């Protein structure tokens, strides 16, 4: 990066830092939390119950509570919850900061198993208050290691309503920054005894840079069942998979369609919305939202479920999109009744009537009232259906709108759609020639004639019917209205073959290894891999030269990758399981184990395993290269029998001793000539030590002021970026292994 670019970036960051460093909302002194148009619009629509509008507006002006979610699929979740309750939450009781009484954190009543908590402490106070420094370090460290997520409460709702099972194939259409994607991955791995669930998550985002933030979020969970791709959601490619030797279209069991929106439900945290909000925002986004939703249901399997959600309260972005989608489906879709799915959650039923207002304050009750001069801005699908019987059959009241003042949250809208039959348009429009599937252009769904840019044709008209596998259908956008002689009239086959235009960074290739690849020769014998080890699921990121890292994906994701390399842009997939270590060759294997993939790989490893006790784990994580005789007798004896090289350090819980952690711990390590060490990233190291009752608080009082400020600033920047969806410099991507902490930096907790 050049000097001018660095200076420009510094100036941009300064503006954001100044807002964070001065109390809640400070730095926004010129932004008054008032918008008369907003108040007039929502008061007129009547979305808020009678007598509650003042409470609604008052809540919108209050800062949003801080919420955290414990990663549900990891076996360590109960240990983290115990640690939070018994240690950190107790320290927060009866605390006063800046003349504000800090309420003890409370579990979200509607989130299962007390896995989500909220408190009235703002993010700024958590970051800056010396009294909360321990709690802040805990949050940052556990977030980085993937054990908790700092996520807005209402953002947790859509994944819960998808009712995910480990065998489900899931598409997240607009995934960045990735908090909901992380939830989807957790649910897929609900059974930790299954290293490779049958299902997978394909997480997509149109913004190339935000895809890397998505990768950062997903990598924390170390799953072999996640793939990040970079496409326009409104024309995301139809993928193919191999089923019993034949090509078939991939349909998803679950789809999360969290579309771009005006975000007026986020005013409590995004202060800019107060001054920027107009009704035009919703009018401009409605068409895109509908096209994305149409593309989603096209790719949904019959019997599957799609959740449509926005952080907007506006019916133009909410019920209008759902009503238009249901009308187009002609009975193929229905709204699911989810009223009993999240007991404890307060929500308002969807509305069946609404009207439209321009930014000038002009109201329209029906499409017939809209002057022709506004027909490009205002579309028929923005109004409720006229036919009362058809409207009643839609059951729009099954939609859910969350209002901020009911449970001290942000504003949100969510609807659950179930697909009962194939979409109707594939039955009406002609098919392409049978050789269409061989065209490299057909899968892209984004030729010049299928542009994602809004056009005068009705929004949401299906771009492509894909319901009858494996043949694909013609582009139908504007077919009925196209004059003779137009390009649409001449369509008798696929468009000319074109390469997909790829933007952003050029990704390294994904190259699967063969079963007889030479790298497996030494790996197989050194680690004594089980016969069932799926060698075909191992990949690397280079065609030529030495393989530096080896990754693993599930069998199902391998199928997707091999059959769609030309039709999709993959940003990242797989979990790292081995890394090349040049010193290892002389000990029998050039590849050492990687901590990221240890829980995926360990079930297949039958040698190089040392069973360790709680005291052994403490020694390994607090001392640098301890001698072998520092281990207890059992572990010491096992280590002495092994040759030098990479090892697995395995702790098995003792149910008869509840004072010790009741979850398994697996660490990568290295058996040296006379010593042993653990190869564990810093934040993960802290996580395990907390579980063992070792205090890992780093007191910054001894640091020089300059270094203290620098560390605080660096931590705050990463934290804000992950929370707010900003771009993060992922050049190193957390690959580097930190050195073990020495004894002097740690002390055992009295608790």
């Amino acid at each position: 990066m050049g000097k001018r670019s660095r200076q420009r970036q510094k100036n941009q960051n300064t503006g954001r830092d100044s807002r964070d460093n001065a109390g809640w909302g400070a730095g926004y002194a010129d932004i008054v939390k008032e918008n008369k148009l907003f108040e007039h619009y929502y008061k007129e629509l009547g979305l808020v119950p009678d007598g509650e509008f003042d409470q609604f507006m008052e809540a919108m002006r209050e800062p949003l509570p801080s919420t955290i979610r414990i990663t549900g699929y990891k076996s360590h979740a109960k240990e983290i919850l115990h640690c939070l309750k018994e240690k950190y939450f107790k320290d927060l009781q009866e605390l006063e900061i800046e003349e504000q009484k800090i309420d003890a954190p409370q579990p979200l009543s509607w989130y299962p198993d007390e896995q989500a908590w909220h408190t009235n402490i703002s993010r700024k106070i958590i970051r800056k208050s010396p009294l909360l420094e321990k709690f802040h370090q805990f949050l940052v460290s556990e977030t980085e290691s993937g054990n908790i997520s700092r996520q807005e409460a209402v953002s947790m709702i859509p994944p819960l309503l998808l009712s995910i099972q480990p065998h489900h194939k899931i598409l997240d259409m607009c995934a960045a920054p990735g908090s909901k994607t992380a939830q989807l991955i957790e649910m897929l791995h609900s059974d930790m005894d299954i290293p490779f669930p049958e299902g997978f998550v394909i997480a997509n985002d149109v913004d190339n840079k935000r895809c890397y933030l998505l990768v950062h979020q997903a990598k924390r969970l170390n799953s072999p069942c996640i793939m990040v791709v970079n496409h326009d959601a409104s024309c995301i490619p139809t993928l193919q998979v191999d089923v019993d030797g034949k090509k078939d279209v991939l349909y998803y069991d679950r789809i999360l369609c969290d579309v771009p929106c005006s975000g007026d439900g986020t005013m409590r945290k995004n202060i800019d919305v107060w001054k920027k909000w107009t009704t035009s925002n919703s009018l401009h986004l409605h068409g895109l939202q509908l096209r994305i939703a149409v593309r989603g249901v096209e790719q949904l399997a019959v019997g599957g479920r799609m959740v449509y959600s926005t952080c907007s309260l506006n019916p133009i972005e909410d019920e209008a999109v759902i009503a238009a989608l249901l009308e187009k489906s002609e009975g193929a879709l229905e709204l699911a009744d989810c009223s009993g799915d999240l007991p404890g959650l307060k929500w308002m039923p969807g509305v069946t009537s609404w009207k439209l207002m321009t930014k000038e304050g002009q109201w329209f009750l029906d499409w017939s009232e809209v002057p022709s001069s506004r027909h490009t801005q205002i579309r028929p699908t923005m109004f409720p259906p006229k036919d009362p019987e058809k409207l009643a059959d839609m059951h729009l009241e099954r939609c859910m709108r969350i209002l901020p003042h009911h449970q001290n949250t942000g504003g949100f809208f969510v609807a659950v759609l179930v697909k009962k039959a194939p979409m109707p348009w594939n039955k009406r429009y002609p098919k392409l020639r049978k050789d269409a599937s061989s065209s490299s252009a057909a899968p892209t769904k984004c030729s010049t004639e299928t542009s994602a840019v809004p056009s005068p044709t009705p929004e949401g008209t299906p771009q492509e019917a894909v319901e009858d596998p494996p043949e694909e259908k013609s582009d139908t956008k504007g077919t009925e209205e196209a004059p003779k002689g137009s390009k649409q009239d001449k369509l008798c086959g696929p468009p000319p073959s074109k390469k997909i235009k790829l933007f952003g960074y050029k990704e390294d290739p994904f190259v699967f290894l063969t079963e007889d690849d030479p790298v497996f020769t030494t790996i197989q014998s050194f680690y004594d891999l089980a016969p069932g080890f799926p060698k075909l699921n191992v990949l690397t990121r280079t065609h030529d030269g030495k393989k530096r890292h080896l990754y693993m994906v599930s069998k199902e994701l391998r199928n997707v990758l091999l059959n769609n390399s030309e039709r999709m842009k993959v940003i990242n997939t797989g979990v790292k399981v081995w890394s090349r270590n040049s010193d290892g060759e002389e000990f029998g294997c050039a590849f050492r184990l990687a901590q990221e993939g240890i829980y995926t790989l360990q079930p297949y490893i039958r040698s190089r395993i040392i069973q360790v006790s709680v005291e052994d784990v403490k020694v390994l994580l607090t001392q640098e290269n301890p001698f072998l005789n520092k281990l207890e007798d059992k572990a010491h004896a096992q280590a002495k029998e092994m040759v030098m090289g990479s090892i697995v350090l395995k702790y098995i819980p003792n149910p008869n001793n509840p004072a010790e952690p009741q979850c398994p711990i697996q660490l990568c390590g290295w058996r040296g000539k006379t010593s042993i060490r653990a190869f564990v990233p810093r934040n993960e190291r802290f996580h395990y030590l907390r579980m063992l009752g070792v205090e890992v608080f780093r007191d910054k009082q001894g640091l020089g002021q300059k270094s203290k400020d620098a560390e605080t600033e660096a931590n705050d920047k990463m934290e804000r970026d992950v929370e707010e969806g900003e771009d993060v410099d992922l050049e190193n991507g957390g690959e580097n292994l930190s050195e073990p902490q020495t004894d002097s930096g740690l002390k055992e907790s009295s608790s």
Side-chain angles (χ1 to χ4, degrees):
M1 186 183 289
K3 185 175 180 181
R4 292 175 63 187
S5 298
R6 285 198 300 270
Q7 185 62 40
R8 183 167 63 247
Q9 188 180 55
K10 183 179 178 182
N11 292 340
Q12 291 171 348
N13 291 338
T14 300
R16 189 172 64 187
D17 290 344
S18 64
R19 295 199 300 268
D20 284 319
N21 290 341
W24 180 271
Y28 288 100
D30 55 331
I31 300 178
V32 179
K33 294 180 184 178
E34 296 284 346
N35 188 310
K36 296 300 181 186
L37 191 66
F38 175 87
E39 292 189 43
H40 173 61
Y41 180 69
Y42 280 108
K43 191 176 287 186
E44 189 71 23
L45 284 181
L47 301 179
V48 181
D50 291 341
E52 295 184 17
F53 194 82
D54 288 343
Q55 293 174 256
F56 166 75
M57 290 305 301
E58 187 177 337
M60 292 292 273
R61 295 185 180 99
E62 289 296 315
L64 195 65
S66 296
T67 49
I68 61 171
R69 179 175 55 78
I70 299 170
T71 300
Y73 86 89
K74 291 196 174 182
S75 55
H76 301 162
K78 289 182 180 178
E79 298 292 333
I80 298 170
L81 180 58
H82 177 77
C83 182
L84 276 169
K85 280 183 172 180
E86 298 302 316
K87 188 172 184 182
Y88 294 99
F89 288 169
K90 281 187 176 180
D91 292 344
L92 299 180
Q93 293 177 2
E94 307 300 325
L95 205 61
E96 280 197 22
I97 298 174
E98 296 182 5
E99 299 182 357
Q100 176 188 356
K101 184 180 178 182
I102 303 301
D103 295 332
Q106 298 294 323
L108 294 177
S109 59
W110 45 267
Y111 203 95
D113 304 323
E114 291 191 336
Q115 296 288 291
W117 292 71
H118 67 137
T119 174
N120 66 334
I121 314 174
S122 73
R123 289 178 297 175
K124 175 257 173 182
I125 291 177
I126 290 177
R127 284 199 295 263
K128 303 303 177 186
S129 172
L131 296 173
L132 297 174
E133 196 163 328
K134 281 187 182 181
F135 185 47
H136 178 234
Q137 286 185 17
F138 168 82
L139 292 178
V140 172
S141 176
E142 295 293 338
T143 299
E144 278 301 296
S145 58
N147 296 300
I148 65 171
S149 290
R150 304 179 70 181
Q151 179 180 358
E152 187 178 344
V154 290
S155 172
M156 304 175 192
I157 296 172
L160 292 176
L161 295 177
L162 279 171
S163 303
I164 288 168
Q165 300 297 322
H167 64 274
H168 283 156
K169 300 172 181 64
I170 307 162
L171 172 65
D172 189 350
M173 300 188 75
C174 309
S179 56
K180 298 183 189 69
T181 308
Q183 261 181 290
L184 300 177
I185 299 170
E186 293 167 25
M187 293 171 180
L188 205 60
H189 288 273
S190 57
D191 187 349
M192 278 295 287
D193 293 330
I194 304 175
F196 291 102
E198 288 183 33
F200 56 78
V201 177
I202 294 180
N204 173 71
D205 201 83
V206 68
D207 189 313
N208 182 264
K209 290 183 179 179
R210 283 168 63 86
C211 280
Y212 291 92
L213 180 60
L214 186 55
V215 169
H216 177 73
Q217 286 276 55
K219 268 192 170 183
R220 299 180 308 134
L221 300 176
N222 299 327
S223 169
C225 304
I226 171 71
M227 179 191 295
V228 177
V229 299
N230 180 204
H231 291 280
D232 182 341
S234 66
C235 53
I236 192 169
T238 301
L239 304 183
Q240 292 183 339
V241 287
D242 188 89
V243 180
D244 298 326
K246 296 180 180 179
K247 290 282 198 282
D248 206 347
V249 170
L250 171 62
Y251 291 105
Y252 300 95
D253 302 299
R254 297 289 186 266
I255 293 180
L256 177 55
C257 185
D258 187 53
V259 295
C261 65
S262 61
D264 58 19
T266 69
M267 284 179 164
R268 300 183 68 176
K269 66 174 183 178
N270 295 326
I271 315 295
D272 286 341
V273 179
W274 282 99
K275 69 173 183 178
K276 293 179 179 178
W277 187 91
T278 74
T279 53
S280 297
N281 301 339
S282 297
L283 302 183
H284 293 153
L285 286 165
H286 171 88
L288 175 63
Q289 292 163 338
L290 183 51
R291 289 197 302 278
I292 292 174
V294 165
R295 192 68 187 122
V297 295
E298 282 178 346
Q299 303 215 13
L300 186 65
V302 173
R305 175 178 283 218
M306 183 176 92
V307 168
Y308 175 89
S309 61
T310 74
C311 48
S312 168
L313 301 174
N314 199 327
I316 308 301
E317 302 177 65
D318 300 339
E319 285 91 348
V321 173
I322 297 298
L325 196 57
L326 291 170
E327 191 165 8
K328 288 175 185 297
S329 77
E330 299 178 5
L333 299 172
E334 75 170 4
L335 275 170
D337 182 0
C338 298
S339 55
D341 287 10
L342 296 177
L345 178 66
K346 295 180 181 178
W347 51 277
M348 297 297 297
V351 295
T352 55
S353 64
W354 60 88
K355 48 189 177 179
L356 188 149
M357 186 179 78
T358 65
K359 64 180 180 181
E360 294 82 19
Q362 185 179 4
W363 290 93
F364 296 108
L365 296 173
D366 186 75
W367 167 250
S368 60
E369 299 177 2
V370 181
S372 57
S373 60
R374 289 189 178 269
H375 280 187
T376 54
Q377 297 174 306
I378 301 174
R379 305 298 298 153
T381 53
M382 296 178 182
F383 295 92
K386 286 184 178 180
D387 187 339
E389 187 175 339
K390 185 184 289 186
L391 187 60
D393 289 342
M394 288 181 177
H395 295 292
L396 291 179
E397 71 279 357
R398 292 178 178 174
C399 299
M400 305 167 76
R401 179 175 278 102
I402 290 89
L403 299 179
H405 65 292
H406 283 165
Q407 287 181 303
N408 197 16
T409 64
F412 207 71
F413 174 88
V414 63
V416 182
L417 293 152
V418 175
K419 189 171 182 178
K420 300 172 66 180
M423 303 311 291
W425 45 84
N426 72 304
K427 301 170 186 175
R428 288 201 294 265
Y429 295 104
K431 297 180 180 180
L432 292 178
R433 291 195 306 261
K434 289 202 174 186
D435 63 350
S437 60
S438 64
S439 167
S440 62
T444 68
K445 315 298 179 288
C446 266
S447 65
T448 51
E449 292 167 292
T450 10
S451 171
V453 179
S455 69
T457 59
E459 285 86 354
T461 302
Q463 294 188 10
E464 178 188 12
V466 294
E467 300 292 334
D468 287 339
E471 298 172 290
E472 299 185 3
K473 314 298 185 293
S474 73
D475 182 291
T476 62
K477 194 169 187 178
T479 300
E480 295 175 327
E481 299 178 20
K484 282 192 175 183
S486 68
K487 287 186 178 181
Q488 275 93 347
D489 191 48
K490 294 179 181 178
L491 270 181
C492 59
S497 177
K498 294 179 182 178
K499 288 185 178 179
I500 300 176
K501 290 184 179 179
L502 300 180
F503 301 96
Y505 304 107
K506 184 179 179 182
E507 290 299 321
D508 293 328
F510 295 86
V511 184
F512 283 95
L513 306 187
T514 58
E515 285 190 316
D516 57 355
D517 192 290
V519 301
F520 286 128
T521 306
T522 55
I523 288 177
Q524 176 75 53
S525 59
F526 192 74
Y527 296 103
D528 188 18
L529 297 181
F533 177 71
K535 294 180 181 178
L536 292 177
N537 294 6
V538 179
L539 62 88
T540 184
R541 299 298 302 271
T542 178
H543 282 292
D544 307 310
K546 283 189 174 182
K547 302 171 179 67
R548 291 181 56 220
H549 304 294
L550 300 181
Y551 305 84
M552 286 192 76
V553 296
S554 64
K555 180 179 70 174
E556 289 73 16
L557 266 190
R558 178 181 185 272
N559 191 346
V560 173
L561 272 168
L562 289 177
N563 288 285
N564 300 279
S565 59
E566 295 299 320
R567 70 186 71 205
M568 65 178 183
K569 182 181 179 185
V570 180
I571 300 296
N572 193 276
T573 191
V575 59
K576 185 165 66 175
V577 290
W578 281 293
S579 290
R580 180 175 288 278
N581 178 24
S582 55
D583 294 337
E585 293 186 23
E586 60 183 284
F587 309 125
C589 185
F591 287 90
R592 67 167 178 81
L593 298 165
Q595 181 67 27
E596 296 97 310
I598 190 62
Y599 287 95
T600 299
L601 193 59
Q602 195 277 324
Y604 300 101
I605 297 176
R606 298 186 296 182
S607 70
R608 310 291 301 170
I609 299 173
I610 298 176
Q611 189 172 331
V612 292
S613 66
V614 168
E615 292 305 315
D616 290 333
V617 176
K618 289 180 182 178
V619 168
L620 289 162
L621 296 180
T622 59
Q623 297 182 27
E624 184 172 352
N625 295 330
F627 289 113
L628 294 176
N629 59 16
K630 289 286 188 77
L631 300 178
E632 294 188 347
D633 293 344
K634 184 177 179 180
H636 185 203
Q638 293 176 17
K640 283 174 66 177
E641 293 177 2
M642 289 186 188
V643 298
M644 295 171 63
S646 189
I647 54 174
V648 178
L649 301 159
K650 188 172 184 177
Y651 163 77
I652 300 175
N654 179 6
N656 298 321
N657 188 355
E660 294 181 347
Q662 293 301 299
C663 61
I665 297 175
Q666 297 175 26
L667 310 174
C668 289
W670 185 268
R671 198 279 201 207
K673 189 175 182 180
T674 58
S675 63
I676 192 167
R677 71 170 297 175
F679 279 109
V680 183
R682 185 189 66 175
N683 288 317
E684 199 165 339
R685 185 183 298 270
F686 289 167
H687 161 69
Y688 290 125
L689 287 171
R690 287 189 189 98
M691 288 171 50
L692 300 173
V694 178
E695 178 63 75
V696 292
F697 173 62
R698 292 166 294 156
D699 190 356
K700 298 178 184 177
Q701 299 302 319
L703 295 174
Q705 187 63 39
K706 184 174 181 181
S707 61
K708 177 180 175 180
D709 292 345
E711 181 177 349
T712 302
E713 184 178 347
N715 285 341
D716 288 352
K717 183 181 186 302
M718 171 63 82
E719 185 184 335
R720 286 193 305 271
D721 288 348
V722 172
E723 287 176 352
E724 300 170 10
E726 298 291 339
D727 300 332
V728 179
D729 180 5
L730 301 177
E731 184 178 350
N732 295 320
E735 300 285 344
N736 295 331
L737 295 168
S738 64
E739 295 298 316
Q741 299 294 313
T742 58
D743 290 325
S744 59
L746 305 162
K747 60 183 179 181
E748 196 149 340
S749 171
S750 58
S751 61

